Structures are given as C-alpha cells and as structure tokens.
Amino acid sequence: MTVPVVREATPERKAEIFGKVVADVRFQDYVHGCYECGICVAACPSARFYDFSPRKITQAVCREDLDLFWEHVNVDVWNCSQCFSCDRCPRGNSPGGLITIMREVAVTAGLRSAKEALEGGERVVYKIMSTGTQVSPDMLQPEAFPDWGPDVQDVSRNLDLWRRALPPETLHTTTTAWEIDDKTLVELYLIWHMTGVLDMIKAVDEGLHMILNDVMEELLEDHDIVVS
Ligand code: SF4
Ligand code: SF4
C-alpha cells in the first residue's frame, strides 16, 4: 500500500505525535529496547510481501528518531497484518502492539495519511455494525477488493448459485454470511462506543459515523438504551 507522507509536518508536530505514542498506557509493556536481531522480521508475514520491517519501526521509536518515526507512522504501519507473530521478540517487545498504538494515534490525531489508508474500509465497518458480519457474499465484487484477484469475478457472477449450493446452516442469502442476534449488535455498538472506537471512526470519516448512529438508533430504542 502506498500512502503519501505528509511533507508539511513540522518538528513540533512530529514530537507531539511521538509523545502521544509514548504516553499510551500500553507502551511500557510493548517496547523495552531492541537487539536488532531481526527475529521479528523473520516471523512477519507482511515483511515477505512489502518493503516493511517491524525491526525498523521498533528501532526508530527506541532511538527517538522523529523523522523516521514520522515516515513509519504515516506509511509503514498500514502494512502490518496485526497477526502478532513478532511477539516472539527475545527483548520482550511487541512490535505489532507498538504498531497498534501508532495506528490508533494516527487516527485519533487525524493524520491525513490515516484517512487515506482507511479509505474503502467503510463498507466493511458498515457491514459489521448493520449485520454483525464482516464480509458478506454480496461484497465479493471485483471492484470492491481488487487485491482479491481474478477469481472473485467468477464467484461474483454466480453468487446466488454458490449460496444455494451451501448447507442450510450458512443461510442462502447473499447479504449476510450468518445470522446475528440484535442483542449482539447492540453489545457490539456499546463496546465500540465505550472503548472509543466510534470516536476513531468519526475522526477519519464523519459521514460513516453518522450512518452508523442512524443504523443503530432504532435498535437502541427497542432495547431501551440511551447512549450519552
Ligand atoms: S525481535 Fe525484538 S529485539 Fe529483535 S529486532 Fe525485532 S524488536 Fe528488536
Ligand atoms: S503484527 Fe505486524 S509487524 Fe508483527 S508479525 Fe504481524 S504483520 Fe508483522
């Protein structure tokens, strides 16, 4: 994924964003220094496919190299698959955890690169909130996820047929992958609300945030829940 670095960043802005990462309550658990051994890179699936290195990101943070940190927080963090295979670090670091913090700070600080990196994810977020399903069959469209490759074209052409051929417990619809109880959707919404996920969505996509609130309004009323 190529995301342009925000060139107009000032040293003060870089220091501010770096400070937010270090101030995160999880930071002390995730970063303890770096032996530069590269074990995290060897374990990292993203490093096989992208010009991406959890070692470089961890080192930049440990050395407090603000220019490199700025490059990573704007570009590289979005290439992490969040699999945490790098947690086998002999220094006890969690490069994936550090990257999680950096992503969250990039979003909440409203970095333009974060908004650009997350563009296109809104259909997945909307689907999760409205149906509890991350990816449903009707999303298997070639233009929706170009990186899924040419086979998606065949599948999307015969979607109804494929769905009818599946066992009954998977449902035969194309708009949901499985059925989710309304109570679960309400719980999901409240978790997102209380943990700040909805605020993060608002920071990158205000329109999507409004749509999600509209989607949930009736359901919350049905369950007599008032969200403040
Ligand atoms: S595995 Fe740990 S110590 Fe080794 S390079 Fe990665 S972060 Fe540094
Ligand atoms: S969590 Fe990210 S950095 Fe760590 S191994 Fe997975 S893809 Fe690589």
Side-chain angles (χ1 to χ4, degrees):
M1 182 189 304
T2 304
V3 180
V5 182
V6 182
R7 300 285 175 202
E8 66 271 18
T10 60
E12 291 75 23
R13 178 71 164 151
K14 293 177 186 177
E16 179 202 340
I17 301 298
F18 183 78
K20 285 178 189 290
V21 170
V22 174
D24 188 283
V25 70
R26 295 161 292 179
F27 184 85
Q28 301 299 330
D29 286 334
Y30 291 164
V31 182
H32 304 281
C34 180
Y35 296 142
E36 306 189 16
C37 64
I39 288 174
C40 55
V41 183
C44 174
S46 292
R48 296 186 195 178
F49 298 101
Y50 303 107
D51 180 12
F52 172 75
S53 166
R55 176 184 60 84
K56 287 182 183 171
I57 295 173
T58 309
Q59 278 181 11
V61 170
C62 289
R63 291 176 184 170
E64 301 185 10
D65 184 326
L66 293 187
D67 290 331
L68 269 181
F69 164 79
W70 188 250
E71 186 100 8
H72 294 317
V73 80
N74 277 284
V75 181
D76 301 295
V77 292
W78 301 109
N79 285 332
C80 170
S81 317
Q82 299 276 272
C83 66
F84 297 95
S85 303
C86 50
D87 274 5
R88 64 194 66 186
C89 165
R91 191 71 178 80
N93 297 327
S94 173
L98 169 62
I99 290 167
T100 304
I101 298 174
M102 289 168 71
R103 284 181 172 193
E104 290 177 12
V105 168
V107 169
T108 50
L111 295 191
R112 196 175 65 211
S113 56
K115 294 182 185 184
E116 289 169 357
L118 295 173
E119 253 172 27
E122 71 274 4
R123 73 178 69 216
V124 175
V125 173
Y126 172 76
K127 202 75 185 187
I128 294 173
M129 192 80 273
S130 58
T131 68
T133 301
Q134 184 183 7
V135 179
S136 56
D138 63 350
M139 294 167 77
L140 295 171
Q141 304 298 332
E143 67 278 7
F145 299 97
D147 54 338
W148 282 4
D151 287 348
V152 172
Q153 224 143 8
D154 279 346
V155 174
S156 64
R157 254 198 302 272
N158 299 304
L159 206 50
D160 286 328
L161 192 63
W162 287 117
R163 288 300 281 177
R164 283 203 299 275
L166 289 169
E169 59 266 28
T170 60
L171 311 179
H172 286 157
T173 71
T174 59
T175 53
T176 52
W178 52 83
E179 212 167 328
I180 302 291
D181 192 272
D182 281 355
K183 188 168 168 279
T184 306
L185 286 180
V186 169
E187 285 175 359
L188 179 64
Y189 178 85
L190 292 176
I191 290 169
W192 282 13
H193 174 68
M194 290 175 188
T195 56
V197 171
L198 285 174
D199 290 338
M200 292 170 81
I201 291 171
K202 190 176 184 182
V204 290
D205 191 336
E206 206 153 336
L208 175 63
H209 183 259
M210 283 169 63
I211 291 170
L212 296 183
N213 283 333
D214 284 350
V215 164
M216 290 306 295
E217 201 176 358
E218 203 176 319
L219 214 49
L220 290 170
E221 271 177 26
D222 289 349
H223 286 75
D224 272 337
I225 293 172
V226 178
V227 176
S228 54

